[in-house]
Amino acid sequence: MSEKRLARQSNMELLRIVAMLMVMVLHTGYASFGYPRTVWLQAEPLRWLGLTMTEVYTVACVNIFVLITGWFGTTFRTKGAVRLAIQPVYVTIVLSLYVWLVGLPQPAGVMDYVRPIWSYWFVCSYLVLYLLTPMLNAFVEKSDEAALRRFLLVFYVITIPCSFVFADLQKGYSAVSFVGLYLLGRYLRLYGAARLQHWPRWRFMALYVVLMGTMGLVGWGAGMMSQTFMGAFVPFVVAYTNPITIVAAGAMLLFFSRVRLQSRLVNWLASGSFAAYLVHQNIWVRKEYYAYIRHLADVIPSTPLFMLAVLASIVAIYVISTLAIQVVIRMVK
């Protein structure tokens, strides 16, 4: 790899890897086993405690991924946009061959073959954000700390409650939410990190653990007693506009910003993070991914062995995705 590639901040590239692994682990929770109901929690409390804690400790993944983009002040480049747009096409082509080879149900027509390309909500939202980065960066450059802080405060005071009411904001599954996270990432890089310089590094991780753990335990405990509470808790937990999740994601970002690391291997693995998402969330295979996780739970009675098998599977998918996507990365440099 080139020296320019090595110069990338491997601590943040490691966080990019962690965030994508969190995405993949997240989808082994409620997405695979269903959203919890009080009767299920009462029947199998420890099982659903594990699933709930898996959910809450990984749900900050998307926010972290977008915060990293803001941290670096990424700006629009034509090659960058082309690379983002080509990857879903390339992954769809490769997975169409995989579906044919393993005998999964075949797409019915031409439109079914191309539908996966635009079925990724994250890709669409991230591309919109990427197109807006020149304007967002210009806004940051012309604003002082107080102005940027006021904007973020007003932005979240409006968008957090509205995201639970209006479908356009989709609880953070939207480009609007990504704009706020991008600007928050810029604020943390330019001002927040310096203001919190006196905090020891471990305190950021402790904040993440305490915030998310408390949310999970409260939801699990109260959900065992009331289906009404559980019905309100789940949409709050899975929302990317959940303020607890936003704060926790910022804490994780600041924790990794203090890590000292430079590694070619980490930088290379980080190059496949986007591909790992595209592969396991492709509409042709994601149901198979969820079914595979449930199958592992059925055939492996030991919880530690089940967790080890899931982790090994996720790492394998991540590494294979990274290897496969190098064709696109080398083609569009």
Side-chain angles (χ1 to χ4, degrees):
M1 291 185 180
S2 67
E3 289 303 311
K4 182 179 179 180
R5 182 67 172 172
L6 184 61
R8 295 176 65 178
Q9 297 181 25
S10 297
N11 57 330
M12 290 311 210
E13 296 305 306
L14 178 60
L15 178 57
R16 200 186 305 275
I17 296 170
V18 169
M20 190 49 61
L21 292 175
M22 288 169 67
V23 171
M24 300 175 76
V25 173
L26 175 70
H27 293 144
T28 68
Y30 292 167
S32 294
F33 294 93
Y35 291 110
R37 299 183 62 83
T38 296
V39 291
W40 297 350
L41 268 67
Q42 292 171 346
E44 296 180 289
L46 293 181
R47 171 189 174 92
W48 283 98
L49 173 62
L51 288 171
T52 298
M53 298 310 285
T54 297
E55 195 80 12
V56 298
Y57 274 119
T58 57
V59 74
C61 51
V62 170
N63 289 0
I64 292 171
F65 205 88
V66 181
L67 283 173
I68 294 171
T69 305
W71 179 270
F72 286 116
T74 303
T75 194
F76 174 83
R77 293 188 308 119
T78 302
K79 286 185 178 181
V82 170
R83 182 183 294 181
L84 282 172
I86 284 180
Q87 288 190 55
V89 177
Y90 173 76
V91 167
T92 297
I93 293 172
V94 172
L95 287 179
S96 68
L97 296 175
Y98 168 79
V99 167
W100 176 73
L101 286 171
V102 302
L104 292 175
Q106 300 294 306
V110 175
M111 293 305 297
D112 285 337
Y113 272 101
V114 300
R115 186 171 291 114
I117 296 172
W118 62 74
S119 66
Y120 301 101
W121 76 267
F122 178 86
V123 176
C124 295
S125 297
Y126 195 82
L127 272 172
V128 172
L129 171 66
Y130 191 67
L131 292 170
L132 293 175
T133 52
M135 290 173 284
L136 296 175
N137 291 335
F139 169 69
V140 171
E141 290 174 6
K142 293 180 179 179
S143 303
D144 58 15
E145 179 185 2
L148 184 55
R149 187 171 62 246
R150 283 195 302 269
F151 176 85
L152 285 169
L153 180 61
V154 173
F155 178 88
Y156 281 116
V157 165
I158 294 173
T159 60
I160 287 176
C162 286
S163 71
F164 290 92
V165 178
F166 300 109
D168 290 347
L169 298 178
Q170 302 180 55
K171 300 182 177 66
Y173 292 73
S174 68
V176 174
S177 173
F178 284 12
V179 167
L181 289 168
Y182 182 89
L183 292 175
L184 179 59
R186 294 302 298 140
Y187 179 85
L188 290 175
R189 175 71 180 273
L190 296 174
Y191 309 111
R195 282 185 172 275
L196 296 171
Q197 192 172 9
H198 61 284
W199 273 39
R201 185 176 65 188
W202 64 265
R203 192 174 292 180
F204 295 111
M205 182 58 72
L207 179 62
Y208 184 92
V209 171
V210 170
L211 283 176
M212 305 309 273
T214 301
M215 181 170 64
L217 288 173
V218 169
W220 173 77
M224 288 187 66
M225 296 180 289
S226 168
Q227 178 58 43
T228 300
F229 180 87
M230 182 55 68
F233 170 74
V234 171
F236 180 75
V237 166
V238 301
Y240 295 127
T241 48
N242 175 350
I244 298 173
T245 300
I246 294 171
V247 172
M252 184 72 82
L253 180 76
L254 291 172
F255 173 84
F256 273 86
S257 72
R258 302 277 190 89
V259 173
R260 296 292 174 261
L261 176 68
Q262 196 61 269
S263 168
R264 290 178 183 268
L265 177 60
V266 168
N267 291 352
W268 179 79
L269 286 171
S271 70
S273 58
F274 190 53
Y277 163 77
L278 295 173
V279 168
H280 91 283
Q281 281 297 288
N282 183 278
I283 61 173
W284 291 339
V285 300
R286 64 184 175 198
K287 289 184 180 179
E288 301 299 323
Y289 179 79
Y290 301 151
Y292 173 72
I293 298 301
R294 293 193 297 270
H295 172 72
L296 290 179
D298 291 337
V299 300
I300 304 177
S302 168
T303 299
L305 289 179
F306 165 72
M307 294 171 63
L308 185 62
V310 169
L311 181 60
S313 300
I314 287 173
V315 171
I317 293 171
Y318 189 102
V319 173
I320 292 171
S321 301
T322 302
L323 287 168
I325 207 64
Q326 296 308 307
V327 173
V328 174
I329 292 175
R330 293 180 181 278
M331 184 173 61
V332 188
K333 286 186 178 180

